[in-house]
Amino acid sequence: VVLIEAATRIYNSGENEVRAMDGINLSIGRGEFLTLVGPSGSGKSTLLHCIGCLDAPTSGRVFIDGRDVTTGLSAAERGEVRNAKIGFIFQSFNLIPVLTAYENIEFALQIHGGQTAAQMRARTLEVLSLLGLESQKDRRPNQLSGGQQQRVAIGRALVKKPALVLADEPTANLDRKTSDDLIALMRQMNEQLGITFVFSTHDEHLMRHARRIVRLSDGRIVGDEANQTP
Amino acid sequence: VVLIEAATRIYNSGENEVRAMDGINLSIGRGEFLTLVGPSGSGKSTLLHCIGCLDAPTSGRVFIDGRDVTTGLSAAERGEVRNAKIGFIFQSFNLIPVLTAYENIEFALQIHGGQTAAQMRARTLEVLSLLGLESQKDRRPNQLSGGQQQRVAIGRALVKKPALVLADEPTANLDRKTSDDLIALMRQMNEQLGITFVFSTHDEHLMRHARRIVRLSDGRIVGDEANQTP
Ligand SMILES: Nc1ncnc2c1ncn2[C@@H]1O[C@H](COP(=O)(O)OP(=O)(O)OP(=O)(O)O)[C@@H](O)[C@H]1O
Ligand SMILES: Nc1ncnc2c1ncn2[C@@H]1O[C@H](COP(=O)(O)OP(=O)(O)OP(=O)(O)O)[C@@H](O)[C@H]1O
Ligand SMILES: [Mg+2]
Ligand SMILES: [Mg+2]
């Protein structure tokens, strides 16, 4: 479902060149449950943004379901791929400040389209409940705790049951129990709906559940193997 | 160094009353190394903000070094207490977007006052180095990874060697090695300089290093004891 060929992402900050991604080759199949791991600054967020069509590599190519999303695609077309197929959980949440938790999540369904108002309401309430957010649904982000905001960001990505979920450190602000519940939910969506999950994480409990672990270091893949410790 | 008496913090969001803190009594001595733990939404950030004079309880009192900071203090006076005595690491970093990593950290010394330009420069470079940020020092927050931003927020709090450091989930976005280095640095500052540290965390590795663990649930303290597992 995801194919990346020789992708490099260079930032020119000042006179220094930063190789946030450096010659990445990666193939991810439908229904995988994979995590990216690596030190702070090793390129996990950059790689997720390129897979998610939020950023483009400086050189190399990215294919989503066989379609080249790096060359010859307009910004509008890239947006269509994202809306149709990808749910993204940002490391810094990126919630809409003027919308409530409920509205932030429902908004993702409205953009995606294809459902009645009643269907959207039911699904949004279901996701809020799965994430333990029913009592907080009418509050805005600045009225929520860090972990509550993180869960709204997660809800927004999962509500439309996208083919591909990209989750950048989804448990960073969650306590152990909430984190375990989330991991169980994502595994269930993976096993029952065939949704492909790609995380980045520093959380060893989440790492343990991944079926494949891809290690990054200085923008390069230095390890890619099945998880030996299930 | 910190005394909290019957402190309650109520938010009126809509027609519901939220008791983010509910009758908190807490006493913290000089040189302690304590962590707050508890589920997402249990009140850790709220309590840290009240200790740090960034917020005030709806009822009850907070004393810093014997001085009542809740009644009869103007906003300016509360700011003076913060600048003189407290270093705060925010759960969402709160970096100044137009300043570089270097400038964000040095700014804390400039507000604190009392040092020459050369002393401030040397101390800022020292902190950047201790946190592994030398190569990133001239970049702005949106040019940094999540964990790099977190370390700038940490550097800003530690640079002035304040009497009291309040750290809201300081390792949430850090890999294991960077997190271990940070914990070692904070323990050294605690043991050599007598700085009091109060964290909130979900990270079991950081919890293990605390000498005292205060458990929160629904805005109340439900446990307060020495750490049995050193
Ligand atoms: N402005 C507000 N209006 C209403 N409720 C609020 C507001 N700010 C915080 N709260 C609520 O107060 C409670 C405590 O929040 P707090 O941020 O202290 O939790 P926390 O323990 O730090 O959680 P986390 O582990 O998720 O960071 C939460 O239920 C939160 O939703
Ligand atoms: N706009 C930018 N200009 C220059 N360098 C950048 C920019 N954005 C990111 N970088 C750098 O690219 C590298 C990779 O960043 P990335 O955010 O992908 O790391 P990460 O693995 O997600 O780290 P973390 O675990 O801390 O979240 C880092 O060294 C970062 O400082
Ligand atoms: Mg990242
Ligand atoms: Mg918090």
Side-chain angles (χ1 to χ4, degrees):
Chain A
V1 64
V2 177
L3 180 66
I4 302 177
E5 295 181 345
T8 291
R9 178 68 169 97
I10 298 176
Y11 291 106
N12 291 311
S13 74
E15 72 268 348
N16 288 326
E17 183 186 86
V18 178
R19 296 197 152 232
M21 282 182 357
D22 193 2
I24 298 272
N25 293 299
L26 183 64
S27 163
I28 300 171
R30 185 164 309 285
E32 286 207 46
F33 201 82
L34 164 169
T35 188
L36 307 176
V37 301
S40 176
S42 55
K44 304 179 295 297
S45 296
T46 304
L47 177 52
L48 283 175
H49 278 67
C50 288
I51 296 172
C53 307
L54 291 159
D55 190 17
T58 323
S59 63
R61 290 191 296 174
V62 178
F63 299 83
I64 302 293
D65 285 344
R67 182 180 183 187
D68 186 338
V69 295
T70 23
T71 40
L73 227 62
S74 69
E77 287 170 311
R78 204 172 295 131
E80 278 171 40
V81 175
R82 288 199 306 269
N83 292 336
K85 304 193 173 199
I86 298 169
F88 203 105
I89 303 166
F90 293 89
Q91 190 167 4
S92 57
F93 315 158
N94 284 6
L95 300 179
I96 300 171
V98 297
L99 298 185
T100 64
Y102 174 93
E103 292 165 343
N104 260 285
I105 292 174
E106 191 185 56
F107 188 53
L109 282 179
Q110 292 169 340
I111 304 177
H112 189 57
Q115 292 197 343
T116 66
Q119 286 172 326
M120 291 196 291
R121 177 164 180 79
R123 175 60 183 161
T124 301
L125 291 173
E126 176 187 27
V127 167
L128 284 161
S129 169
L130 286 168
L131 295 168
L133 293 170
E134 317 89 303
S135 334
Q136 288 81 24
K137 68 178 176 59
D138 298 322
R139 286 191 227 152
R140 274 170 279 112
N142 68 355
Q143 296 173 320
L144 296 174
S145 79
Q148 290 163 347
Q149 292 176 31
Q150 183 148 41
R151 280 177 276 159
V152 177
I154 290 165
R156 182 175 59 176
L158 300 185
V159 69
K160 55 187 186 180
K161 299 180 187 176
L164 174 63
V165 172
L166 306 174
D168 203 349
E169 312 221 14
T171 63
N173 285 281
L174 301 182
D175 56 273
R176 182 70 194 277
K177 165 144 199 340
T178 311
S179 167
D180 283 348
D181 290 348
L182 173 65
I183 295 168
L185 173 62
M186 294 193 291
R187 290 192 56 158
Q188 181 184 42
M189 292 179 77
N190 173 249
E191 287 157 17
Q192 295 183 4
L193 304 175
I195 294 176
T196 308
F197 280 87
V198 183
F199 313 104
S200 77
T201 192
H202 296 302
D203 174 354
E204 289 156 0
H205 296 291
L206 177 50
M207 267 182 228
R208 206 158 292 159
H209 286 271
R211 291 197 295 271
R212 175 181 168 196
I213 297 182
V214 174
R215 287 191 182 283
L216 290 177
S217 175
D218 291 323
R220 292 178 192 158
I221 292 179
V222 298
D224 184 351
E225 49 192 47
N227 186 358
Q228 309 295 348
T229 57
Chain B
V1 65
V2 176
L3 179 66
I4 303 177
E5 294 181 347
T8 290
R9 178 66 170 97
I10 297 175
Y11 291 106
N12 291 311
S13 73
E15 72 269 350
N16 287 326
E17 185 186 84
V18 180
R19 299 200 150 228
M21 283 183 358
D22 193 1
I24 297 271
N25 293 300
L26 183 65
S27 165
I28 301 171
R30 185 165 308 284
E32 287 208 45
F33 201 82
L34 163 171
T35 187
L36 305 177
V37 301
S40 175
S42 56
K44 303 178 296 297
S45 296
T46 303
L47 177 52
L48 284 174
H49 279 66
C50 286
I51 296 172
C53 304
L54 291 159
D55 188 20
T58 324
S59 64
R61 291 192 292 175
V62 178
F63 299 83
I64 303 293
D65 284 344
R67 183 179 182 188
D68 187 336
V69 295
T70 25
T71 40
L73 228 62
S74 69
E77 287 170 311
R78 203 171 295 130
E80 278 171 42
V81 174
R82 288 200 304 269
N83 293 336
K85 303 193 173 199
I86 298 168
F88 204 104
I89 302 166
F90 292 89
Q91 190 167 4
S92 54
F93 315 156
N94 283 6
L95 300 178
I96 300 171
V98 298
L99 298 185
T100 64
Y102 175 92
E103 292 164 344
N104 260 284
I105 293 175
E106 190 186 57
F107 187 53
L109 283 179
Q110 292 170 339
I111 304 177
H112 189 58
Q115 292 197 341
T116 66
Q119 286 172 326
M120 291 197 291
R121 178 167 179 76
R123 174 60 183 161
T124 302
L125 291 173
E126 175 186 28
V127 166
L128 285 161
S129 168
L130 286 169
L131 294 168
L133 292 170
E134 317 89 304
S135 335
Q136 288 81 23
K137 69 178 176 61
D138 297 320
R139 288 191 226 151
R140 273 170 279 113
N142 67 356
Q143 296 173 321
L144 296 175
S145 78
Q148 289 164 347
Q149 292 176 30
Q150 183 149 40
R151 281 177 275 157
V152 176
I154 290 165
R156 180 175 60 176
L158 300 185
V159 71
K160 56 188 184 179
K161 300 179 187 176
L164 174 63
V165 172
L166 305 174
D168 203 347
E169 310 222 15
T171 63
N173 285 280
L174 302 182
D175 56 273
R176 182 72 193 275
K177 165 141 198 339
T178 310
S179 168
D180 284 347
D181 290 348
L182 173 66
I183 296 170
L185 173 62
M186 295 193 293
R187 290 193 56 160
Q188 181 184 40
M189 293 179 75
N190 174 251
E191 288 157 14
Q192 293 183 4
L193 304 175
I195 294 176
T196 307
F197 280 86
V198 183
F199 312 103
S200 78
T201 191
H202 297 303
D203 174 356
E204 290 158 358
H205 295 291
L206 176 50
M207 267 182 227
R208 206 159 292 160
H209 287 271
R211 291 197 295 271
R212 176 180 168 196
I213 297 180
V214 173
R215 290 191 178 282
L216 289 178
S217 175
D218 291 326
R220 292 179 191 159
I221 292 180
V222 296
D224 184 351
E225 50 192 44
N227 186 358
Q228 309 297 346
T229 55

